[in-house]
Amino acid sequence: MSYPMGSQVLVLVHPITVDGREIKELNVRRPKVRDNLIASKKETDADREMTMMSLLTGEDDSVLQEMDMLDFEALQQVVVGFRKKGSLENETSSAE
């Protein structure tokens, strides 16, 4: 069975500067059940998503809020990609 790798580097199209630190890329790790449990305690969908993205990148919410929407949408796609199984033909799993 093939799964996406454990982490991915997202190069920002529009780098940001927060507190004098220029951020040109984000290291994004695969989500764990723990991350989902922490994020699920937030009240709104937006807060849950921001918490999840913060946990997966190791960056504070305030940093992620400065991102250009194009880059944030790319971050969302990276996370969605982690949740997809590999697409090998004739792949079976007892969990399905």
Side-chain angles (χ1 to χ4, degrees):
M1 199 174 283
S2 173
Y3 290 93
M5 60 183 159
S7 65
Q8 185 172 334
V9 174
L10 173 66
V11 177
L12 302 181
V13 174
H14 302 281
I16 57 176
T17 301
V18 178
D19 295 331
R21 178 172 65 110
E22 184 178 28
I23 301 167
K24 296 180 180 180
E25 62 186 29
L26 295 171
N27 293 307
V28 189
R29 67 170 174 78
R30 290 183 58 80
K32 298 180 179 184
V33 172
R34 173 188 68 227
D35 301 314
N36 194 55
L37 291 171
I38 293 168
S40 70
K41 293 178 181 178
K42 300 295 181 176
E43 285 191 32
T44 68
D45 287 342
D47 287 339
R48 284 188 284 275
E49 181 176 39
M50 191 56 67
T51 297
M52 178 67 80
M53 299 304 183
S54 179
L55 290 167
L56 300 183
T57 62
E59 294 289 350
D60 193 71
D61 292 3
S62 63
V63 172
L64 300 179
Q65 291 171 12
E66 294 302 317
M67 291 175 68
D68 184 272
M69 280 304 298
L70 177 71
D71 288 325
F72 191 75
E73 289 168 1
L75 175 58
Q76 291 171 318
Q77 291 305 308
V78 168
V79 174
V80 168
F82 284 143
R83 298 186 68 150
K84 293 181 180 178
K85 288 186 178 183
S87 58
L88 297 176
E89 287 200 14
N90 300 323
E91 181 177 329
T92 60
S93 170
S94 60
E96 295 181 342

Coordinates of all heavy atoms in Angstrom, one line a residue:
M1 N 0.8 -1.2 0.0 CA 0.0 0.0 0.0 C 0.9 1.2 0.0 O 1.9 1.3 0.7 CB -0.9 0.0 1.2 CG -2.1 0.9 1.1 SD -3.2 0.7 2.5 CE -4.0 -0.9 2.1
S2 N 0.5 2.2 -0.8 CA 1.4 3.4 -0.9 C 0.6 4.6 -0.4 O -0.5 4.9 -0.8 CB 1.7 3.7 -2.4 OG 2.3 4.9 -2.6
Y3 N 1.2 5.4 0.5 CA 0.6 6.6 1.1 C 1.6 7.8 0.8 O 2.8 7.6 0.6 CB 0.5 6.4 2.6 CG -0.6 5.5 3.0 CD1 -0.3 4.1 3.2 CD2 -1.9 5.9 3.0 CE1 -1.3 3.2 3.6 CE2 -2.9 4.9 3.4 CZ -2.6 3.6 3.6 OH -3.6 2.7 3.9
P4 N 1.0 9.0 0.8 CA 1.9 10.1 0.6 C 2.9 10.2 1.7 O 2.8 9.7 2.8 CB 0.9 11.3 0.7 CG -0.4 10.8 0.4 CD -0.4 9.3 0.9
M5 N 4.0 10.9 1.3 CA 5.1 11.0 2.3 C 4.7 11.7 3.6 O 3.7 12.3 3.7 CB 6.3 11.7 1.7 CG 6.1 13.1 1.2 SD 7.5 13.7 0.4 CE 6.8 15.0 -0.6
G6 N 5.6 11.6 4.6 CA 5.3 12.1 5.9 C 5.2 13.6 6.1 O 4.6 14.1 7.0
S7 N 5.9 14.3 5.2 CA 5.9 15.8 5.3 C 6.1 16.4 3.9 O 6.6 15.7 3.0 CB 6.9 16.3 6.3 OG 8.2 16.0 5.9
Q8 N 5.8 17.6 3.8 CA 6.0 18.3 2.5 C 6.4 19.7 2.8 O 5.9 20.4 3.7 CB 4.7 18.2 1.7 CG 4.9 18.8 0.3 CD 3.6 18.5 -0.5 OE1 2.9 17.6 -0.3 NE2 3.4 19.4 -1.5
V9 N 7.3 20.3 1.9 CA 7.7 21.7 2.0 C 6.8 22.4 1.0 O 6.7 22.1 -0.2 CB 9.2 21.9 1.7 CG1 9.5 23.4 1.6 CG2 10.0 21.2 2.7
L10 N 6.1 23.5 1.5 CA 5.3 24.3 0.7 C 6.0 25.6 0.5 O 6.2 26.4 1.4 CB 3.9 24.6 1.3 CG 3.0 25.6 0.6 CD1 2.6 25.1 -0.8 CD2 1.8 25.9 1.5
V11 N 6.4 25.9 -0.8 CA 7.1 27.2 -1.1 C 6.0 28.2 -1.3 O 5.2 28.0 -2.2 CB 8.0 27.0 -2.3 CG1 8.7 28.3 -2.7 CG2 9.1 26.0 -2.0
L12 N 6.1 29.3 -0.6 CA 5.1 30.3 -0.7 C 5.3 31.2 -2.0 O 6.4 31.6 -2.3 CB 5.1 31.2 0.5 CG 4.9 30.6 1.9 CD1 4.9 31.6 3.0 CD2 3.6 29.8 1.9
V13 N 4.2 31.4 -2.7 CA 4.3 32.3 -3.9 C 4.5 33.7 -3.4 O 5.2 34.5 -4.0 CB 3.0 32.2 -4.7 CG1 3.0 33.2 -5.9 CG2 2.9 30.7 -5.3
H14 N 3.9 34.0 -2.3 CA 4.0 35.4 -1.7 C 4.5 35.3 -0.3 O 3.8 35.1 0.7 CB 2.6 36.1 -1.7 CG 2.0 36.2 -3.0 ND1 2.4 37.1 -3.9 CD2 1.0 35.4 -3.6 CE1 1.7 37.0 -5.0 NE2 0.9 35.9 -4.9
P15 N 5.9 35.3 -0.1 CA 6.5 35.2 1.2 C 5.9 36.3 2.1 O 5.5 37.3 1.7 CB 8.0 35.4 0.9 CG 8.2 35.0 -0.5 CD 6.9 35.4 -1.2
I16 N 6.0 36.0 3.4 CA 5.5 36.9 4.4 C 6.6 37.2 5.4 O 7.5 36.5 5.6 CB 4.2 36.4 5.1 CG1 4.5 35.0 5.8 CG2 3.1 36.3 4.2 CD1 3.4 34.5 6.7
T17 N 6.5 38.4 6.0 CA 7.4 38.8 7.1 C 6.6 39.0 8.3 O 5.6 39.9 8.3 CB 8.2 40.0 6.7 OG1 8.9 39.7 5.5 CG2 9.2 40.4 7.8
V18 N 6.9 38.3 9.4 CA 6.2 38.5 10.7 C 7.3 38.7 11.8 O 8.2 37.8 11.9 CB 5.3 37.3 11.0 CG1 4.6 37.4 12.3 CG2 4.3 37.1 9.9
D19 N 7.1 39.7 12.5 CA 8.1 40.0 13.6 C 9.5 40.0 13.1 O 10.4 39.5 13.8 CB 7.9 39.1 14.8 CG 6.6 39.2 15.5 OD1 6.0 40.3 15.4 OD2 6.1 38.2 16.0
G20 N 9.8 40.5 11.9 CA 11.1 40.6 11.3 C 11.6 39.3 10.7 O 12.7 39.3 10.2
R21 N 10.8 38.3 10.8 CA 11.2 37.0 10.2 C 10.5 36.8 8.9 O 9.3 36.8 8.8 CB 10.8 35.9 11.2 CG 11.2 34.5 10.7 CD 11.0 33.4 11.8 NE 9.6 33.3 12.2 CZ 8.8 32.2 11.9 NH1 9.3 31.2 11.2 NH2 7.6 32.2 12.3
E22 N 11.3 36.6 7.8 CA 10.8 36.3 6.5 C 10.5 34.8 6.4 O 11.4 34.0 6.6 CB 11.7 36.8 5.4 CG 11.1 36.6 4.0 CD 11.9 37.1 2.9 OE1 13.2 37.2 3.0 OE2 11.3 37.5 1.9
I23 N 9.3 34.5 5.9 CA 8.9 33.1 5.8 C 8.6 32.9 4.3 O 7.7 33.5 3.7 CB 7.7 32.8 6.6 CG1 8.0 33.1 8.1 CG2 7.2 31.4 6.4 CD1 6.8 33.1 9.0
K24 N 9.5 32.1 3.7 CA 9.4 31.8 2.3 C 8.8 30.4 2.0 O 8.4 30.1 0.9 CB 10.8 31.8 1.6 CG 11.4 33.2 1.7 CD 12.8 33.2 1.0 CE 13.4 34.5 1.0 NZ 14.7 34.5 0.4
E25 N 8.8 29.5 3.0 CA 8.3 28.2 2.9 C 7.8 27.7 4.2 O 8.2 28.2 5.3 CB 9.3 27.2 2.3 CG 10.5 27.1 3.2 CD 11.6 26.2 2.5 OE1 11.8 26.2 1.3 OE2 12.4 25.6 3.3
L26 N 6.9 26.7 4.2 CA 6.4 26.1 5.3 C 6.6 24.6 5.3 O 6.4 24.0 4.2 CB 4.8 26.3 5.5 CG 4.4 27.7 5.7 CD1 2.9 27.8 5.5 CD2 4.8 28.3 7.0
N27 N 7.1 24.0 6.3 CA 7.2 22.5 6.4 C 5.9 22.0 7.0 O 5.5 22.4 8.1 CB 8.3 22.1 7.3 CG 9.7 22.5 6.7 OD1 9.9 22.2 5.6 ND2 10.5 23.3 7.5
V28 N 5.2 21.2 6.3 CA 3.9 20.7 6.6 C 4.0 19.2 6.9 O 4.4 18.4 6.0 CB 2.8 20.9 5.5 CG1 1.4 20.6 6.0 CG2 2.9 22.4 5.0
R29 N 3.6 18.7 8.1 CA 3.7 17.3 8.4 C 2.3 16.7 8.3 O 1.3 17.4 8.2 CB 4.2 17.1 9.8 CG 3.3 17.6 10.9 CD 3.8 17.1 12.3 NE 3.1 17.7 13.3 CZ 1.9 17.3 13.7 NH1 1.3 16.3 13.1 NH2 1.2 17.9 14.7
R30 N 2.2 15.4 8.2 CA 1.0 14.7 8.1 C 0.2 14.9 9.4 O 0.7 14.9 10.4 CB 1.2 13.2 7.9 CG 1.8 12.8 6.5 CD 1.9 11.3 6.4 NE 0.7 10.6 6.6 CZ -0.3 10.5 5.6 NH1 -0.1 11.0 4.5 NH2 -1.4 9.8 5.9
P31 N -1.1 15.0 9.2 CA -2.0 15.1 10.4 C -2.1 13.8 11.2 O -2.1 12.7 10.6 CB -3.3 15.5 9.9 CG -3.3 15.2 8.4 CD -1.9 15.1 8.0
K32 N -2.2 13.9 12.5 CA -2.4 12.8 13.4 C -3.8 12.9 14.0 O -4.4 14.0 14.1 CB -1.3 12.7 14.5 CG 0.1 12.6 13.9 CD 1.1 12.5 15.0 CE 2.5 12.3 14.4 NZ 3.5 12.2 15.4
V33 N -4.3 11.8 14.6 CA -5.5 11.8 15.3 C -5.5 12.9 16.4 O -6.5 13.7 16.6 CB -5.8 10.5 15.9 CG1 -7.1 10.5 16.8 CG2 -6.0 9.4 14.8
R34 N -4.4 13.0 17.1 CA -4.2 14.0 18.2 C -4.5 15.4 17.6 O -5.2 16.2 18.3 CB -2.8 14.0 18.7 CG -2.5 15.0 19.7 CD -1.0 15.1 20.1 NE -0.2 15.5 19.0 CZ 0.9 14.8 18.5 NH1 1.4 13.8 19.1 NH2 1.6 15.3 17.5
D35 N -4.0 15.8 16.4 CA -4.2 17.1 15.8 C -5.7 17.3 15.6 O -6.3 18.4 15.9 CB -3.5 17.2 14.5 CG -2.0 17.0 14.6 OD1 -1.4 17.6 15.6 OD2 -1.4 16.3 13.8
N36 N -6.4 16.3 15.1 CA -7.8 16.4 14.9 C -8.6 16.6 16.2 O -9.6 17.4 16.3 CB -8.4 15.2 14.1 CG -9.7 15.4 13.6 OD1 -9.9 16.3 12.8 ND2 -10.6 14.5 13.9
L37 N -8.2 15.9 17.2 CA -8.9 16.0 18.5 C -8.7 17.4 19.1 O -9.6 18.0 19.6 CB -8.4 15.0 19.5 CG -8.7 13.6 19.2 CD1 -8.0 12.6 20.1 CD2 -10.2 13.3 19.3
I38 N -7.5 18.0 19.0 CA -7.2 19.3 19.5 C -8.0 20.4 18.7 O -8.7 21.2 19.3 CB -5.7 19.7 19.4 CG1 -5.0 18.8 20.4 CG2 -5.5 21.1 19.7 CD1 -3.4 18.8 20.2
A39 N -8.0 20.2 17.4 CA -8.7 21.2 16.5 C -10.3 21.1 16.7 O -10.9 22.1 16.7 CB -8.4 21.0 15.1
S40 N -10.8 19.9 17.0 CA -12.2 19.7 17.1 C -12.8 20.4 18.3 O -14.0 20.6 18.4 CB -12.6 18.2 17.1 OG -12.1 17.7 18.3
K41 N -12.0 20.8 19.2 CA -12.4 21.5 20.4 C -12.8 23.0 20.2 O -13.3 23.7 21.0 CB -11.4 21.4 21.6 CG -11.3 20.0 22.0 CD -10.3 19.8 23.1 CE -10.2 18.3 23.5 NZ -9.2 18.1 24.5
K42 N -12.3 23.5 19.0 CA -12.6 24.9 18.7 C -14.1 25.1 18.3 O -14.7 24.1 17.8 CB -11.7 25.4 17.6 CG -10.2 25.3 17.9 CD -9.9 26.2 19.0 CE -8.4 26.2 19.4 NZ -8.0 27.1 20.4
E43 N -14.6 26.3 18.4 CA -16.0 26.5 18.2 C -16.4 26.6 16.7 O -17.5 26.1 16.4 CB -16.5 27.8 18.9 CG -16.6 27.6 20.4 CD -17.3 28.8 21.1 OE1 -18.2 29.4 20.4 OE2 -17.0 29.1 22.2
T44 N -15.6 27.3 15.9 CA -16.1 27.5 14.5 C -15.2 26.7 13.6 O -14.1 26.3 13.9 CB -16.0 29.0 14.1 OG1 -14.6 29.3 14.1 CG2 -16.7 29.9 15.1
D45 N -15.7 26.4 12.4 CA -14.9 25.7 11.3 C -13.6 26.5 11.0 O -12.6 25.9 10.9 CB -15.8 25.6 10.1 CG -16.9 24.6 10.2 OD1 -16.8 23.7 11.1 OD2 -17.8 24.6 9.4
A46 N -13.7 27.8 11.0 CA -12.5 28.6 10.6 C -11.5 28.4 11.7 O -10.3 28.3 11.4 CB -12.9 30.0 10.5
D47 N -11.9 28.4 13.0 CA -10.9 28.3 14.1 C -10.4 26.9 14.1 O -9.2 26.7 14.4 CB -11.6 28.6 15.4 CG -11.8 30.1 15.7 OD1 -11.2 30.9 15.0 OD2 -12.7 30.4 16.5
R48 N -11.2 25.9 13.8 CA -10.7 24.5 13.7 C -9.7 24.3 12.6 O -8.6 23.7 12.9 CB -11.9 23.5 13.5 CG -12.7 23.3 14.7 CD -13.7 22.2 14.5 NE -14.9 22.6 13.7 CZ -15.9 23.2 14.2 NH1 -16.0 23.5 15.5 NH2 -16.9 23.6 13.4
E49 N -9.9 24.9 11.5 CA -9.0 24.8 10.4 C -7.7 25.5 10.7 O -6.6 25.0 10.4 CB -9.6 25.4 9.1 CG -8.7 25.3 7.9 CD -9.3 25.8 6.6 OE1 -10.0 26.8 6.6 OE2 -9.0 25.1 5.6
M50 N -7.8 26.7 11.3 CA -6.6 27.5 11.6 C -5.7 26.7 12.6 O -4.5 26.7 12.5 CB -6.9 28.9 12.1 CG -5.8 29.8 12.2 SD -4.8 30.0 10.7 CE -6.0 30.9 9.6
T51 N -6.4 26.1 13.6 CA -5.7 25.4 14.6 C -5.0 24.2 14.0 O -3.8 23.9 14.3 CB -6.7 24.9 15.7 OG1 -7.2 26.0 16.4 CG2 -6.0 24.0 16.7
M52 N -5.7 23.5 13.1 CA -5.1 22.3 12.4 C -3.8 22.8 11.6 O -2.8 22.1 11.7 CB -6.1 21.6 11.5 CG -5.5 20.5 10.7 SD -5.1 19.1 11.8 CE -6.7 18.3 12.0
M53 N -4.0 23.8 10.9 CA -2.9 24.3 10.0 C -1.7 24.7 10.9 O -0.5 24.5 10.6 CB -3.3 25.5 9.1 CG -4.4 25.1 8.1 SD -3.9 23.7 7.1 CE -5.4 23.6 6.1
S54 N -2.0 25.4 12.0 CA -0.9 25.8 13.0 C -0.2 24.6 13.5 O 1.0 24.5 13.6 CB -1.6 26.6 14.1 OG -0.6 27.0 15.0
L55 N -0.9 23.5 13.9 CA -0.3 22.3 14.5 C 0.5 21.6 13.4 O 1.6 21.2 13.7 CB -1.4 21.4 14.9 CG -2.2 21.8 16.2 CD1 -3.4 20.9 16.3 CD2 -1.3 21.7 17.4
L56 N 0.1 21.6 12.2 CA 0.8 20.9 11.1 C 2.0 21.6 10.6 O 2.9 21.0 10.1 CB -0.1 20.5 10.0 CG -1.3 19.7 10.3 CD1 -2.2 19.3 9.1 CD2 -0.9 18.4 11.1
T57 N 2.0 22.9 10.7 CA 3.2 23.7 10.3 C 4.1 24.1 11.4 O 5.3 24.5 11.1 CB 2.7 25.0 9.5 OG1 2.0 25.8 10.5 CG2 1.9 24.7 8.3
G58 N 3.6 24.1 12.6 CA 4.5 24.5 13.7 C 4.5 26.1 13.8 O 5.3 26.6 14.6
E59 N 3.7 26.7 13.0 CA 3.6 28.2 13.0 C 2.4 28.7 13.8 O 1.4 28.0 13.8 CB 3.5 28.7 11.6 CG 4.8 28.5 10.8 CD 6.0 29.3 11.2 OE1 5.8 30.2 12.0 OE2 7.1 29.0 10.7
D60 N 2.5 29.8 14.5 CA 1.4 30.4 15.3 C 0.3 30.8 14.3 O 0.6 31.2 13.2 CB 2.0 31.6 16.1 CG 1.0 32.0 17.1 OD1 0.8 31.3 18.1 OD2 0.4 33.1 16.9
D61 N -0.9 30.8 14.8 CA -2.0 31.3 14.1 C -1.8 32.7 13.5 O -2.1 33.0 12.3 CB -3.3 31.4 14.9 CG -3.8 30.1 15.4 OD1 -3.2 29.0 15.1 OD2 -4.9 30.1 16.0
S62 N -1.1 33.6 14.3 CA -0.9 34.9 13.8 C 0.0 35.0 12.6 O -0.1 35.9 11.7 CB -0.3 35.8 14.9 OG 1.0 35.3 15.3
V63 N 0.9 34.0 12.4 CA 1.7 33.9 11.2 C 0.9 33.5 10.0 O 0.9 34.1 9.0 CB 2.9 33.0 11.5 CG1 3.7 32.7 10.2 CG2 3.8 33.5 12.6
L64 N 0.1 32.4 10.2 CA -0.7 31.9 9.1 C -1.7 32.9 8.6 O -2.1 33.0 7.5 CB -1.4 30.6 9.5 CG -0.4 29.5 9.9 CD1 -1.2 28.3 10.3 CD2 0.6 29.2 8.8
Q65 N -2.2 33.8 9.5 CA -3.2 34.8 9.2 C -2.7 35.8 8.2 O -3.4 36.5 7.6 CB -3.8 35.4 10.4 CG -4.7 34.5 11.2 CD -5.1 35.0 12.6 OE1 -4.9 36.2 12.8 NE2 -5.6 34.1 13.4
E66 N -1.4 35.9 8.2 CA -0.7 36.9 7.3 C -0.5 36.4 5.9 O -0.1 37.1 5.0 CB 0.6 37.4 7.9 CG 0.5 38.2 9.2 CD -0.4 39.4 9.0 OE1 -0.2 40.1 8.0 OE2 -1.2 39.7 9.9
M67 N -0.8 35.1 5.7 CA -0.5 34.5 4.4 C -1.5 35.0 3.3 O -2.7 35.3 3.6 CB -0.8 32.9 4.5 CG 0.3 32.2 5.3 SD -0.1 30.4 5.4 CE 0.1 29.9 3.7
D68 N -1.0 35.1 2.1 CA -1.8 35.4 0.9 C -2.8 34.2 0.8 O -2.4 33.1 1.0 CB -0.9 35.5 -0.3 CG -1.7 35.9 -1.5 OD1 -2.2 35.0 -2.3 OD2 -1.8 37.1 -1.8
M69 N -4.0 34.5 0.3 CA -5.0 33.4 0.2 C -4.6 32.4 -0.8 O -4.9 31.2 -0.7 CB -6.4 34.0 -0.2 CG -7.2 34.6 1.0 SD -7.4 33.4 2.3 CE -8.4 32.1 1.5
L70 N -3.9 32.7 -1.9 CA -3.4 31.7 -2.8 C -2.5 30.7 -2.1 O -2.6 29.5 -2.3 CB -2.6 32.4 -3.9 CG -1.9 31.5 -5.0 CD1 -3.0 30.9 -5.9 CD2 -1.0 32.3 -5.8
D71 N -1.6 31.2 -1.3 CA -0.7 30.3 -0.5 C -1.5 29.5 0.5 O -1.2 28.3 0.7 CB 0.4 31.1 0.2 CG 1.4 31.6 -0.8 OD1 1.7 30.9 -1.8 OD2 1.9 32.7 -0.6
F72 N -2.5 30.1 1.2 CA -3.3 29.4 2.2 C -4.1 28.3 1.5 O -4.1 27.1 2.0 CB -4.2 30.3 2.9 CG -4.8 29.6 4.1 CD1 -4.1 29.4 5.3 CD2 -6.1 29.2 4.1 CE1 -4.6 28.8 6.4 CE2 -6.7 28.6 5.2 CZ -6.0 28.4 6.3
E73 N -4.6 28.5 0.3 CA -5.3 27.5 -0.4 C -4.4 26.3 -0.8 O -4.8 25.2 -0.8 CB -6.0 28.1 -1.6 CG -7.2 28.9 -1.2 CD -7.8 29.8 -2.4 OE1 -7.2 29.7 -3.5 OE2 -8.7 30.5 -2.1
A74 N -3.1 26.7 -1.2 CA -2.1 25.6 -1.5 C -1.8 24.8 -0.2 O -1.7 23.6 -0.3 CB -0.9 26.3 -2.0
L75 N -1.8 25.5 0.9 CA -1.6 24.7 2.2 C -2.8 23.8 2.5 O -2.6 22.6 2.8 CB -1.4 25.7 3.4 CG -1.3 25.2 4.8 CD1 -0.2 24.2 4.9 CD2 -1.2 26.3 5.8
Q76 N -4.0 24.3 2.2 CA -5.1 23.4 2.4 C -5.0 22.2 1.5 O -5.4 21.1 1.9 CB -6.4 24.2 2.0 CG -6.8 25.3 3.0 CD -7.9 26.1 2.6 OE1 -7.9 26.5 1.4 NE2 -8.8 26.5 3.4
Q77 N -4.6 22.4 0.2 CA -4.4 21.2 -0.7 C -3.4 20.2 -0.3 O -3.6 19.0 -0.5 CB -4.1 21.8 -2.1 CG -5.3 22.5 -2.7 CD -6.6 21.6 -2.8 OE1 -6.6 20.5 -3.2 NE2 -7.7 22.2 -2.2
V78 N -2.3 20.7 0.3 CA -1.3 19.8 0.9 C -1.9 18.9 1.9 O -1.7 17.7 1.9 CB -0.1 20.6 1.4 CG1 0.8 19.7 2.2 CG2 0.7 21.3 0.3
V79 N -2.7 19.5 2.8 CA -3.3 18.8 3.9 C -4.3 17.8 3.4 O -4.3 16.6 3.8 CB -3.9 19.7 5.0 CG1 -4.7 18.9 6.0 CG2 -2.8 20.5 5.6
V80 N -5.1 18.2 2.4 CA -6.1 17.3 1.8 C -5.3 16.1 1.1 O -5.8 15.0 1.3 CB -7.0 18.0 0.8 CG1 -7.8 17.1 -0.1 CG2 -7.9 19.0 1.5
G81 N -4.2 16.4 0.5 CA -3.4 15.4 -0.2 C -2.9 14.3 0.8 O -2.8 13.1 0.4
F82 N -2.6 14.7 2.0 CA -2.1 13.8 3.0 C -3.2 12.8 3.4 O -2.9 11.7 3.8 CB -1.7 14.5 4.3 CG -0.4 15.2 4.2 CD1 -0.2 16.4 4.9 CD2 0.7 14.6 3.5 CE1 1.0 17.0 4.8 CE2 1.9 15.3 3.5 CZ 2.1 16.5 4.1
R83 N -4.5 13.1 3.2 CA -5.6 12.3 3.6 C -6.1 11.3 2.5 O -7.0 10.6 2.7 CB -6.7 13.2 4.1 CG -6.3 14.0 5.3 CD -7.4 14.7 5.9 NE -8.3 13.8 6.5 CZ -9.1 14.0 7.6 NH1 -9.0 15.2 8.1 NH2 -9.9 13.1 8.1
K84 N -5.4 11.4 1.4 CA -5.8 10.5 0.3 C -4.9 9.3 0.2 O -3.7 9.4 0.5 CB -5.7 11.2 -1.0 CG -6.7 12.3 -1.2 CD -6.6 13.0 -2.5 CE -7.6 14.1 -2.6 NZ -7.5 14.8 -3.9
K85 N -5.4 8.1 -0.1 CA -4.6 6.9 -0.2 C -3.9 7.0 -1.6 O -4.4 7.7 -2.5 CB -5.5 5.7 -0.2 CG -6.1 5.4 1.2 CD -6.8 4.1 1.2 CE -7.3 3.7 2.5 NZ -8.0 2.4 2.6
G86 N -2.9 6.2 -1.7 CA -2.2 6.1 -3.0 C -3.2 5.5 -4.0 O -4.1 4.8 -3.6
S87 N -2.9 5.6 -5.2 CA -3.8 5.1 -6.2 C -3.3 4.0 -7.0 O -3.3 4.0 -8.3 CB -4.2 6.3 -7.2 OG -3.0 6.8 -7.8
L88 N -2.7 3.0 -6.3 CA -2.3 1.8 -7.0 C -3.4 0.9 -7.4 O -4.4 0.7 -6.7 CB -1.4 1.0 -6.1 CG -0.1 1.6 -5.6 CD1 0.6 0.7 -4.6 CD2 0.8 1.9 -6.8
E89 N -3.4 0.4 -8.6 CA -4.4 -0.5 -9.1 C -4.4 -1.8 -8.3 O -3.4 -2.3 -7.8 CB -4.2 -0.8 -10.6 CG -4.5 0.4 -11.5 CD -4.8 0.0 -12.9 OE1 -5.0 -1.2 -13.2 OE2 -4.8 0.9 -13.7
N90 N -5.6 -2.4 -8.2 CA -5.8 -3.6 -7.5 C -5.4 -3.5 -6.0 O -5.1 -4.5 -5.4 CB -5.0 -4.8 -8.1 CG -5.4 -5.0 -9.6 OD1 -6.6 -4.9 -9.9 ND2 -4.5 -5.3 -10.4
E91 N -5.4 -2.3 -5.5 CA -5.1 -2.1 -4.1 C -6.3 -2.5 -3.2 O -7.4 -2.1 -3.5 CB -4.7 -0.6 -3.9 CG -4.3 -0.3 -2.5 CD -3.9 1.2 -2.3 OE1 -3.4 1.7 -3.3 OE2 -4.2 1.7 -1.3
T92 N -6.1 -3.3 -2.2 CA -7.1 -3.6 -1.3 C -6.7 -3.4 0.2 O -5.5 -3.4 0.5 CB -7.6 -5.1 -1.4 OG1 -6.4 -5.9 -1.1 CG2 -8.1 -5.4 -2.8
S93 N -7.7 -3.2 1.0 CA -7.3 -3.0 2.4 C -8.5 -3.5 3.2 O -9.6 -3.4 2.9 CB -7.2 -1.5 2.7 OG -7.1 -1.3 4.1
S94 N -8.1 -4.2 4.4 CA -9.2 -4.7 5.2 C -9.9 -3.6 6.0 O -10.9 -3.8 6.6 CB -8.5 -5.7 6.2 OG -7.6 -5.0 7.0
A95 N -9.4 -2.4 6.0 CA -10.0 -1.2 6.7 C -11.1 -0.6 5.8 O -11.8 0.2 6.3 CB -8.9 -0.2 7.0
E96 N -11.2 -0.9 4.6 CA -12.2 -0.3 3.7 C -13.5 -0.9 3.8 O -13.7 -2.0 4.1 CB -11.7 -0.3 2.2 CG -10.5 0.5 2.0 CD -10.1 0.5 0.6 OE1 -10.5 -0.4 -0.2 OE2 -9.3 1.4 0.2

